Amino acid sequence: MYQFPKDFLWGGATAANQFEGAYQEGGKGLNLADVLPGGKKRLELMGSTGFDFEIDQSKYTYPNHEGIDFYHRYKEDIALFAEMGFKVFRLSIAWSRIFPNGDETHPNEEGLAFYDRVFDELHKHGIEPLVTIAHYETPLHLIKEYGGWRNRKLIEFFDRYVETILTRYKNKVKYWLTFNEINGATHMPLFGLGFSPENEETRLQDSFQGLHHQFVASARTVKKAKEIIPKSQVGCMLIYAPVYPFDSNPENVMHARRESDLFNFFCGDVQVRGEYPYFAKRYFEENDIKLDIKEGDLETIKEGTVDFISFSYYMSRTDKKEKTPEEMGQGNLVGGVKNPFLKASDWGWEIDPVGLRIALNELYGRYEKPLMIVENGLGAYDKVEEDGSIQDDYRIDYLREHIKQMGEAVKDGVDLIGYTSWGCIDLVSASSGQYAKRYGFIYVDKHDDGSGTLERKRKKSFYWYKDVIESNGQKL
Ligand code: BG6
C-alpha cells in the first residue's frame, strides 16, 4: 500500500498540436507541428539539417492538422476525464492561436475565447488546468523570418504572448509550465527551439544560444506570473532520463555522471537554482560555445526561479565511454547502449519503472522543490475486440509499476505533488507522427491511413485509472 498526499493531483496530459486539430480555424496561424509530416520520414527530417518547413501534400500526410479534433469535441472529452475523476488536466496553449504569426502587437480574440471555453468546461467539472505555455509549437513565421529561438527577438514576442494569456486567464489558471522538455533542445533543436541546424558544427552553439534566450524568457514569465496572479505556481519542464554507467569501470561511471549532468541537470540548475552550473564553463570551452549574454540576463535568471519542477519520464539511459554502433539501444531517443536488464516497448523505448524512483530521488535530492510528473506512459498498438472493448492490460501493467515506484519515492521522502500520464486520450505521436502509437485511457477511432470516425471509447485502463484516482493510489 502506498500513501499519496491528500491533495495529490492525479490527471492526464496532452499538447495542443497533437490533439486539437482545426489547424486553420479560429484565426490560428501555422506553427511548427503543422509542417511536420506523419510517418517514417518525420523523425529523419526532425533530426536532419536544413529542413525546409514547407507543407507538401503530394508527398506526405499531416496528422496534426486534424489531430483528434479536440477543438470541436472538448466538452465530450472533458466529461470523460471527469468520469475518471481527474483532478488536473495538462494541455498547452497553441501560441499561434493567440498570435497567428507570433510577432503581432494585438492578439487574436477567437483563439483566446477558445481556451476560455476549455478552462470554463474544466472548472465546471472541478478539474484544475495545468498549462504548458510552449509545447513544440513555435509559430511558423517566427521560424522562417527570425530563425526560431536563436534570435533574441523571440524573448520580446514571447513576453507579449505570456502577458496576454496570464492576464486573460488569471482567474482560471493557477499552474503554468514554461517550455516543454526544455533540455531536449540540444538533441532535437527543431522541436523546442524551432530551427533546423545549418550543419553539425553550428548545432551546439545555436542550441545553447537558443536555450539562453529561453532561460531569460522563462524567468521573465515567472516574474510576470507573480505580478499578475500572486497565487500562481510556475514550473519548469524537463525530459528526465537517469543515466546508468554500463559497468563499474570508473571511466564509464564518470562518463555517465557527466552525461547526466549535461542532459538532466543543466537546464534545471539554471531554472531552479538561477545559475549556470559549475560544469558549464569547461563544457563551453571544450566545445567552442560562446554565449551572447546581455547585461541583466543573469540577474533576470536569478530572480525568476521556478516554484516547482515538472518532468516527463519514459526511459532511463545506459551509457559507456567507448561504444560501437552495434551496442547502441534501438529507439531510445536519449541515446546510450542497450540495457540487458530491461525490456522495450514496440517502439524500442526501454521500460524501467525503478528508473522513475531514481529520477524522483535525484531531482529532489538536488533541488528540494516540489516535483510533478507531467508525462509518463506506454505507446502501444491497441486492438478493438469484436465486442468493442479494448483490453489494454499491458498499459495497466506499465502504469501500475510506475505508480508503485512513485509510492516508494514518496516513502523515501520526496515531495511529489502530482501525476499526469501522457496522452490520456489517444493523440498524434510527437516523434513518429502516428495515430497507431496510442497512450490513452480513451481510444479514438482514427488511423494512419486517414480513416476513422473519431469516435471515443473507454479502454480497460480507463476503469482501472478511475479506481486508482478514487482510492488515491491505494488500489493499483
Ligand atoms: C514527450 C513530448 O517527449 O513525449 C510529447 O513532450 C510526446 O509531446 C511524448 O508526445 C511521447 O512521445 P511520442 O513520440 O511517443 O509521442
Side-chain angles (χ1 to χ4, degrees):
M1 290 285 242
Y2 295 104
Q3 208 62 53
F4 289 94
K6 191 165 72 45
D7 300 321
F8 195 73
L9 293 166
W10 296 100
T14 56
N17 72 89
Q18 292 172 255
F19 87 143
E20 278 180 5
Y23 84 114
Q24 281 179 315
E25 282 182 58
K28 176 180 163 293
L30 293 179
N31 64 31
L32 170 72
D34 295 321
V35 299
L36 291 179
K40 291 207 176 82
K41 266 277 174 204
R42 186 182 182 100
L43 204 55
E44 194 185 310
L45 286 176
M46 282 175 358
S48 69
T49 52
F51 176 53
D52 65 2
F53 301 102
E54 296 299 331
I55 295 179
D56 184 348
Q57 312 261 15
S58 68
K59 272 205 199 136
Y60 305 121
T61 58
Y62 293 88
N64 298 66
H65 290 183
E66 194 182 354
I68 56 157
D69 197 31
F70 176 80
Y71 189 79
H72 297 109
R73 293 165 196 253
Y74 65 93
K75 286 192 178 171
E76 182 190 349
D77 294 342
I78 291 172
L80 287 165
F81 301 151
E83 195 181 319
M84 276 187 277
F86 278 21
K87 313 278 181 226
V88 65
F89 175 57
R90 177 177 176 227
L91 71 168
S92 68
I93 292 179
W95 184 351
S96 70
R97 277 202 192 283
I98 312 301
F99 288 95
N101 283 328
D103 61 355
E104 297 91 337
T105 44
H106 294 291
N108 167 36
E109 175 55 34
E110 262 193 278
L112 287 167
F114 167 65
Y115 294 105
D116 265 324
R117 293 197 292 279
V118 171
F119 298 144
D120 290 344
E121 195 64 21
L122 287 167
H123 285 298
K124 196 174 109 191
H125 289 282
I127 301 174
E128 196 69 51
L130 163 64
V131 172
T132 318
I133 299 174
H135 192 130
Y136 301 159
E137 293 153 336
T138 311
L140 196 60
H141 178 73
L142 299 186
I143 293 177
K144 287 184 163 179
E145 293 301 314
Y146 297 90
W149 278 95
R150 282 175 296 188
N151 191 329
R152 192 176 171 94
K153 276 215 134 275
L154 264 76
I155 300 177
E156 186 190 312
F157 305 141
F158 192 76
D159 268 358
R160 204 174 299 144
Y161 162 53
V162 166
E163 184 157 0
T164 304
I165 56 175
L166 289 174
T167 308
R168 177 74 171 223
Y169 306 125
K170 66 176 183 219
N171 297 320
K172 301 184 182 181
V173 181
K174 176 179 165 198
Y175 294 102
W176 300 86
L177 305 177
T178 54
F179 293 95
N180 183 62
E181 294 187 335
I182 188 165
N183 55 321
T186 51
H187 276 245
M188 204 78 87
L190 186 69
F191 257 171
L193 298 170
F195 76 89
S196 177
E198 269 89 46
N199 54 57
E200 281 309 320
E201 285 72 60
T202 57
R203 172 193 283 269
L204 272 187
Q205 166 67 35
D206 286 348
S207 297
F208 278 99
Q209 188 61 52
L211 270 179
H212 177 73
H213 295 149
Q214 290 193 340
F215 293 148
V216 174
S218 174
R220 291 173 66 90
T221 302
V222 177
K223 286 170 78 179
K224 219 4 122 199
K226 300 291 161 195
E227 269 170 52
I228 300 177
I229 319 172
K231 285 203 175 122
S232 61
Q233 290 288 299
V234 185
C236 58
M237 190 328 191
L238 310 170
I239 171 172
Y240 200 94
V243 186
Y244 306 149
F246 181 72
D247 56 24
S248 55
N249 176 345
E251 291 290 348
N252 288 337
V253 176
M254 188 60 222
H255 176 75
R257 165 151 200 174
R258 195 46 86 230
E259 286 297 309
S260 184
D261 284 341
L262 284 165
F263 185 76
N264 290 316
F265 295 121
F266 188 98
C267 295
D269 284 2
V270 181
Q271 293 184 290
V272 183
R273 292 174 162 169
E275 281 170 13
Y276 275 90
Y278 72 93
F279 51 83
K281 188 167 176 279
R282 176 173 181 182
Y283 180 76
F284 285 167
E285 274 167 15
E286 289 182 356
N287 289 281
D288 204 22
I289 296 164
K290 292 185 184 69
L291 289 193
D292 182 8
I293 297 179
K294 300 282 188 230
E295 208 188 314
D297 282 1
L298 296 179
E299 288 74 14
T300 302
I301 287 172
K302 190 78 197 165
E303 287 160 13
T305 55
V306 291
D307 301 307
F308 70 100
I309 298 149
S310 82
F311 66 101
S312 65
Y313 175 77
Y314 292 95
M315 59 190 98
S316 54
R317 161 175 163 193
T318 303
D319 217 346
K320 64 204 283 206
K321 201 171 173 199
E322 312 283 345
K323 46 190 177 272
T324 63
E326 296 77 50
E327 290 173 304
M328 297 291 285
Q330 289 296 314
N332 190 319
L333 287 184
V334 289
V337 300
K338 200 171 156 23
N339 184 326
F341 298 97
L342 301 178
K343 293 205 176 75
S345 77
D346 290 336
W347 277 262
W349 292 19
E350 284 176 339
I351 299 171
D352 180 10
V354 178
L356 179 54
R357 179 176 173 192
I358 295 170
L360 286 161
N361 275 275
E362 287 182 347
L363 278 167
Y364 195 64
R366 191 168 183 111
Y367 300 125
E368 295 195 331
K369 288 249 182 182
L371 302 179
M372 198 185 305
I373 300 160
V374 294
E375 285 189 35
N376 169 240
L378 179 71
Y381 294 105
D382 286 335
K383 182 167 163 261
V384 183
E385 305 294 338
E386 272 175 22
D387 64 0
S389 67
I390 297 116
Q391 304 292 326
D392 56 341
D393 294 278
Y394 37 89
R395 181 168 295 110
I396 295 173
D397 291 345
Y398 176 101
L399 295 170
R400 180 190 295 117
E401 293 313 308
H402 283 79
I403 294 174
K404 279 185 188 167
Q405 294 301 324
M406 284 158 44
E408 293 293 339
V410 171
K411 278 192 192 168
D412 292 335
V414 170
D415 182 8
L416 179 62
I417 59 171
Y419 176 76
T420 60
S421 73
W422 176 251
C424 47
I425 180 164
D426 290 348
L427 37 65
V428 179
S429 152
S431 61
S432 71
Q434 289 171 297
Y435 286 107
K437 190 178 187 189
R438 296 174 182 275
Y439 286 87
F441 303 114
I442 301 163
Y443 182 89
V444 178
D445 181 36
K446 186 72 191 170
H447 308 278
D448 290 323
D449 61 3
S451 67
T453 60
L454 290 167
E455 188 201 341
R456 276 61 169 154
K457 284 178 194 294
R458 296 164 184 81
K459 302 183 194 176
K460 186 173 178 183
S461 57
F462 180 100
Y463 302 101
W464 172 82
Y465 196 47
K466 184 174 187 295
D467 280 350
V468 173
I469 298 179
E470 214 166 63
S471 65
N472 198 23
Q474 300 275 313
K475 206 169 150 197
L476 290 173

